Amino acid sequence: MQEERFGPLGNKKYKDYLKDILTSGSYVIDLVNDLLDLSKIEAGRAELDFQDVDVNGVLVDASSLLQEEARRARVILRMSLDSHLPGLMADKRALHQIILNLMSNAIKFTPEGGQVIVSTTRTPDGDVVIRVKDTGIGMTDQEIATALEPFRQLSTTRKSGGTGLGLPLTKALVEANRATFSIKSARNAGTLVEITFPDRKSTRLNSS
């Protein structure tokens, strides 16, 4: 109907109504998919395919997909990637979703002229750390706790849209990939999210 394949709709208002219907439908689909993914993870039934993943490659791919979104928001998207990282043992699709969620959130809550910086590094202990840092509006400790609860939305999130599952699902996906998730933020001082994958050697020793 939106493409008018069987003829013109006539009144312009019909097109406006169709746009609202499609937007609402997409919102419901996103909500259902996020809810299903979160439920599977919490029940221990998530189907993850662990393989050797080039983390920098995943970050570059995600950045390419979000460049246009950042441009429209007039937010600078920067990357600082450690070229000597080992491969990660992770689910590539899940890692891609994690990065997309975090970068999209950072862009959404960063005012015009701000920056989103995505970086990777390796700690002296051999852990691989992914960081997504922004110069956005930031959150208090209480707001962070609220944002990490399923279906709980901050007032800023409600104004920008969203299901209230993005951050809880992202954290659950990180932990399902045997990594740790942390947030540091302050009002009007931006937000830093860190995902830490333990050194693969220590992981193998602990599991043996």
Side-chain angles (χ1 to χ4, degrees), residues 1-10 14-15 18-19 22:
M1 289 175 67
Q2 188 180 45
E3 295 174 357
E4 299 182 317
R5 292 184 181 181
F6 301 107
L9 295 176
Y14 288 142
K15 278 206 164 186
L18 277 175
K19 184 178 179 181
L22 286 170

Side-chain angles (χ1 to χ4, degrees), residues 185-197:
S185 186
R187 265 295 177 189
N188 301 314
T191 300
L192 169 64
V193 177
E194 290 189 338
I195 303 168
T196 304
F197 285 83

Side-chain angles (χ1 to χ4, degrees), residues 4 9-21:
E4 299 182 317
L9 295 176
N11 195 311
K12 181 182 177 297
K13 286 188 177 180
Y14 288 142
K15 278 206 164 186
D16 294 334
Y17 294 150
L18 277 175
K19 184 178 179 181
D20 291 341
I21 292 169

Side-chain angles (χ1 to χ4, degrees), residues 8-204:
L9 295 176
N11 195 311
K12 181 182 177 297
K13 286 188 177 180
Y14 288 142
K15 278 206 164 186
D16 294 334
Y17 294 150
L18 277 175
K19 184 178 179 181
D20 291 341
I21 292 169
L22 286 170
T23 300
S24 299
S26 296
Y27 176 86
V28 172
I29 289 172
D30 289 343
L31 176 60
V32 171
N33 287 335
D34 286 352
L35 185 57
L36 287 172
D37 286 342
L38 187 59
S39 299
K40 286 179 182 178
I41 294 170
E42 290 181 342
R45 297 175 61 186
E47 297 176 359
L48 300 180
D49 178 20
F50 287 93
Q51 56 182 292
D52 199 30
V53 177
D54 173 13
V55 60
N56 286 344
V58 171
L59 293 176
V60 170
D61 287 346
S63 176
S64 297
L65 290 173
L66 293 174
Q67 280 291 350
E68 179 59 23
E69 182 178 329
R71 188 193 66 78
R72 287 197 303 268
R74 297 185 180 179
V75 170
I76 299 168
L77 192 55
R78 295 173 51 200
M79 306 198 82
S80 176
L81 306 180
D82 187 334
S83 60
H84 301 292
L85 291 181
L88 290 181
M89 190 57 63
D91 181 284
K92 187 175 182 179
R93 184 192 66 82
L95 183 59
H96 194 255
Q97 183 176 353
I98 288 165
I99 300 305
L100 282 176
N101 287 354
L102 292 177
M103 291 177 66
S104 183
N105 261 1
I107 293 168
K108 184 187 299 183
F109 297 111
T110 298
E112 290 185 9
Q115 297 185 53
V116 173
I117 305 167
V118 182
S119 62
T120 55
T121 189
R122 196 174 189 191
T123 70
D125 294 331
D127 299 346
V128 173
V129 183
I130 303 169
R131 296 189 177 103
V132 179
K133 178 177 174 56
D134 65 60
T135 59
I137 59 177
M139 295 180 285
T140 65
D141 289 344
Q142 181 56 51
E143 286 173 331
I144 291 173
T146 299
L148 287 171
E149 294 181 33
F151 301 111
R152 294 288 303 277
Q153 290 181 303
L154 307 179
S155 58
T156 49
T157 305
R158 284 193 291 270
K159 292 175 184 176
S160 302
T163 63
L165 285 173
L167 207 52
L169 175 58
T170 301
K171 182 174 183 291
L173 283 171
V174 168
E175 293 171 350
N177 274 273
R178 306 163 188 163
T180 58
F181 179 95
S182 70
I183 300 181
K184 296 176 183 177
S185 186
R187 265 295 177 189
N188 301 314
T191 300
L192 169 64
V193 177
E194 290 189 338
I195 303 168
T196 304
F197 285 83
D199 177 53
R200 288 173 64 169
K201 292 180 182 178
S202 63
T203 302
R204 285 196 294 268

